[in-house]
Amino acid sequence: MRKFLFLFFAGLFLTQAQVNEQTTAKNHENKPKLVVGIVVDQMRYDYLTRFYSKYGEGGFKRIMNDGFNMKNAHYNYIPTYTAVGHTSIYAGTTPTNHGIISNSWYDKYAKEGIYCVDDSNYNTVGTNSDEGKKSPHRLQTTTVTDQVHLGQNNNGKVISVAIKDRSAILPGGHTANGAFWFDGGDQGKWVTSTFYMDKLPSWVAKYNTSGDVDKLMSKPWETYYPIETYTESIADDNPYERKFKGEEKPTFPHDVPNLRKTNKNYSLIKAIPAGNTMTKNFAEAAILGENLGKSEFVDFLAVSFSSTDYVGHQFGVDSKEIEDTYIRLDKDLEEFFNFLDKEVGKGNYTLFLTADHAAVQVPSYLNSLKIPGGYFDDEVFANYVNDITENYFGSREIVENISNFQIFLNAEEVRELKLNKAYVQQVIADEIINFKGVYKSVTAQALQSSSFDYGILDLLQKGYNQKFSGDILFVPTPATISYPKHGSTHGSGYSYDTHVPMIFYGVGINQGTSMNYYPIIDIAPTISTLIGVEYPNGNTGQPISEVLE
């Protein structure tokens, strides 16, 4: 009997060991050789649905139908800007923790405006301009790309590419093997910083001398399909768009070769769909040049398509130009996915596609439809705030800076007047709510001492950083922007700015869709779980279990 029981339990343990071995093998099978993070700058979720009939089968539709499509993904903080979005995707947390509170912001310690990735300690590699004086030094946490290195004993490669410097630098984290961005003007070359290296890799130098950029700018920008078929967008000739310099009207065709000289030469490619094609070509060169996806370790390629943002800002979210840009991006993605199939292998890579923010429809266009919206007058508002401080405290020097819908107090002036800082904050917050265009206002004191669990103030709190943010934060009314009256912008916590695509595709990813709410910060822990590394060190997101096999 004892012998029987011994054999029985031994069989159980053997079976469990076999199960564990099979599970380990399965997890290993589901680990990609290459992760590709794709961020489409300023992509609203509804671009997937609005232009769906215009897309081919191999681009957006391929990953939507064969991957996992999150239909209700949102940014869970304010402000929704490029640098903040890219950082939050890769850091798995909000500005409260990672410290990137805008693209540019007022530094209350240095008493000056700063740009998120500027760093005079480093120099440009690739041209003789100052475009490479950059680094991720203002990023306070690690990213999933950092964890790729930390979790593999500094093995595996991380390469990040984008036209915009901030869109390349911040996703790459602190340990990227290379981050590359485009230096326009009369340069027309991809560059990097001495933070990463002292000399361009041979594949970058080869691309810079290939003539690809000039080739892409050699033809006018015309619609891919006949313009009369673009029924998803408003009339081409409308009063809501901004022209290129040298154009009489903001309409097709856009004569790119002749517009170069009046639109900063190579910088023009940023604002046309060819900029996305250039980025795709450069990303493919990076995969080949760095042998990504070929080693025993997991590699990571971060790619941001920036031209969509430039087009949206200039022409607006309802323009023919936006529709054509996404039709052409769909073709670029199809080519890129086919390239990954061939060079990395269908079963060897995983990708996600999302956006760093969405965008508002042009308020003047909304007004034409009798929908509320408007324009915030920064100068009038600044005078209004100074009137408040003069009336209450007898000084127009109490406010030091107003930017990014934040008010920074002059701490020295407050002390000299022997005022209570919290009281000054509250007075200003209470009074500015009466200004036309201000919808919500809150003090730093309230954000530090209270917890908001839902609504706009919750988003504002998640975007507030005690060390770097202002003393009073405020929110404009819906569809009210601080921007010219032509083109679109973003930055708010309203759905038109927060609702973005979130699609996972490839090895280890389930096929399906979800209408459950997910914040964008869930991407990093989901990818970390997939590849078996620790979450970024400031992470507040959760892995999405229904995405993973």
Side-chain angles (χ1 to χ4, degrees), residues 183-413:
D183 188 354
D186 292 329
Q187 300 290 342
K189 292 181 172 62
W190 288 81
V191 300
T192 188
S193 164
T194 51
F195 176 85
Y196 303 100
M197 61 193 69
D198 295 321
K199 182 181 179 182
L200 286 180
S202 59
W203 64 267
V204 179
K206 182 179 179 181
Y207 180 88
N208 281 340
T209 58
S210 68
D212 189 49
V213 182
D214 283 303
K215 180 180 178 182
L216 290 169
M217 300 183 74
S218 65
K219 296 179 180 179
W221 176 14
E222 299 176 322
T223 56
Y224 189 87
Y225 297 119
I227 195 168
E228 60 270 16
T229 67
Y230 285 23
T231 54
E232 295 77 13
S233 45
I234 61 177
D236 191 29
D237 190 1
N238 67 72
Y240 314 114
E241 302 176 4
R242 189 169 70 250
K243 300 178 292 185
F244 286 118
K245 291 181 180 178
E247 284 188 326
E248 293 184 5
K249 292 183 177 181
T251 56
F252 282 105
H254 299 285
D255 190 356
V256 173
N258 288 323
L259 288 172
R260 287 177 62 167
K261 59 181 176 291
T262 53
N263 291 271
K264 298 182 180 178
N265 198 3
Y266 286 106
S267 293
L268 180 59
I269 198 171
K270 300 177 183 181
I272 60 177
N276 292 327
T277 306
M278 174 183 68
T279 304
K280 184 267 297 183
N281 293 347
F282 189 75
E284 292 177 353
I287 291 172
L288 295 177
E290 298 289 343
N291 293 311
L292 299 181
K294 299 297 184 181
S295 75
E296 60 182 300
F297 301 102
V298 177
D299 295 327
F300 202 116
L301 174 67
V303 183
S304 182
F305 290 100
S306 305
S307 293
T308 43
D309 184 69
Y310 289 99
V311 174
H313 276 295
Q314 181 158 347
F315 296 99
V317 305
D318 294 291
S319 63
K320 301 289 189 206
E321 282 79 4
I322 271 291
E323 180 165 0
D324 192 67
T325 295
Y326 278 90
I327 288 170
R328 290 178 179 276
L329 176 59
D330 181 64
K331 306 299 181 185
D332 287 331
L333 289 174
E334 180 174 3
E335 291 182 6
F336 186 52
F337 298 157
N338 290 338
F339 177 89
L340 289 170
D341 292 342
K342 178 182 177 182
E343 299 297 335
V344 182
K346 277 190 176 181
N348 292 326
Y349 68 88
T350 301
L351 65 82
F352 65 83
L353 183 147
T354 188
D356 56 346
H357 53 75
V360 65
Q361 289 169 295
V362 180
S364 55
Y365 169 62
L366 294 178
N367 294 161
S368 74
L369 303 175
K370 300 181 181 179
I371 297 174
Y375 296 89
F376 194 86
D377 193 318
D378 297 299
E379 186 176 349
V380 172
F381 179 72
N383 288 328
Y384 184 86
V385 173
N386 286 331
D387 287 343
I388 293 170
T389 62
E390 184 175 35
N391 291 337
Y392 275 87
F393 310 113
S395 173
R396 299 181 73 85
E397 304 300 323
I398 286 177
V399 171
E400 191 168 83
N401 178 269
I402 303 176
S403 55
N404 293 316
F405 299 111
Q406 299 185 32
I407 299 173
F408 293 81
L409 297 182
N410 183 335
E412 185 176 338
E413 180 76 1

Side-chain angles (χ1 to χ4, degrees), residues 140 182 197 232 314 389 451 500 510:
Q140 303 297 309
F182 187 70
M197 61 193 69
E232 295 77 13
Q314 181 158 347
T389 62
S451 180
V500 295
N510 279 323

Side-chain angles (χ1 to χ4, degrees), residues 416-434:
E416 286 186 3
L417 293 173
K418 297 181 180 180
L419 298 170
N420 180 283
K421 187 178 180 181
Y423 176 65
V424 175
Q425 289 180 2
Q426 193 62 58
V427 166
I428 295 174
D430 289 342
E431 288 294 328
I432 63 173
I433 201 69
N434 299 313

Side-chain angles (χ1 to χ4, degrees), residues 103-165:
N103 294 332
S104 300
W105 63 90
Y106 182 70
D107 186 329
K108 56 191 176 185
Y109 306 102
K111 307 293 184 186
E112 63 180 8
I114 58 174
Y115 178 60
C116 58
V117 293
D118 274 351
D119 192 340
S120 60
N121 294 308
Y122 300 97
N123 294 307
T124 308
V125 179
T127 65
N128 58 6
S129 75
D130 289 336
E131 289 300 311
K133 291 181 177 291
K134 317 284 180 184
S135 84
H137 72 109
R138 290 192 171 92
L139 172 57
Q140 303 297 309
T141 64
T142 64
T143 58
V144 63
T145 44
D146 286 322
Q147 299 301 143
V148 165
H149 281 145
L150 292 171
Q152 299 184 110
N153 196 26
N154 292 320
N155 290 299
K157 286 186 177 181
V158 172
I159 301 295
S160 186
V161 302
I163 283 177
K164 295 181 180 179
D165 49 23

Side-chain angles (χ1 to χ4, degrees), residues 36-173:
V36 181
I38 300 174
V39 179
V40 183
D41 203 319
Q42 203 190 115
M43 184 174 183
R44 291 164 55 109
Y45 174 80
D46 68 351
Y47 290 160
L48 288 176
T49 55
R50 196 197 316 175
F51 306 139
Y52 189 83
S53 64
K54 296 293 195 300
Y55 296 146
E57 297 301 318
F60 286 118
K61 284 184 179 179
R62 172 179 171 178
I63 60 174
M64 289 171 69
N65 297 330
D66 296 341
F68 204 99
N69 181 16
M70 323 298 293
K71 296 185 176 182
N72 193 22
H74 288 263
Y75 277 90
N76 62 333
Y77 61 80
I78 298 169
T80 44
Y81 294 136
T82 295
V84 197
H86 281 79
T87 305
S88 300
I89 292 166
Y90 283 87
T93 192
T94 68
T96 295
N97 296 309
H98 63 58
I100 302 298
I101 63 171
S102 188
N103 294 332
S104 300
W105 63 90
Y106 182 70
D107 186 329
K108 56 191 176 185
Y109 306 102
K111 307 293 184 186
E112 63 180 8
I114 58 174
Y115 178 60
C116 58
V117 293
D118 274 351
D119 192 340
S120 60
N121 294 308
Y122 300 97
N123 294 307
T124 308
V125 179
T127 65
N128 58 6
S129 75
D130 289 336
E131 289 300 311
K133 291 181 177 291
K134 317 284 180 184
S135 84
H137 72 109
R138 290 192 171 92
L139 172 57
Q140 303 297 309
T141 64
T142 64
T143 58
V144 63
T145 44
D146 286 322
Q147 299 301 143
V148 165
H149 281 145
L150 292 171
Q152 299 184 110
N153 196 26
N154 292 320
N155 290 299
K157 286 186 177 181
V158 172
I159 301 295
S160 186
V161 302
I163 283 177
K164 295 181 180 179
D165 49 23
R166 57 188 181 271
S167 305
I169 293 168
L170 296 168

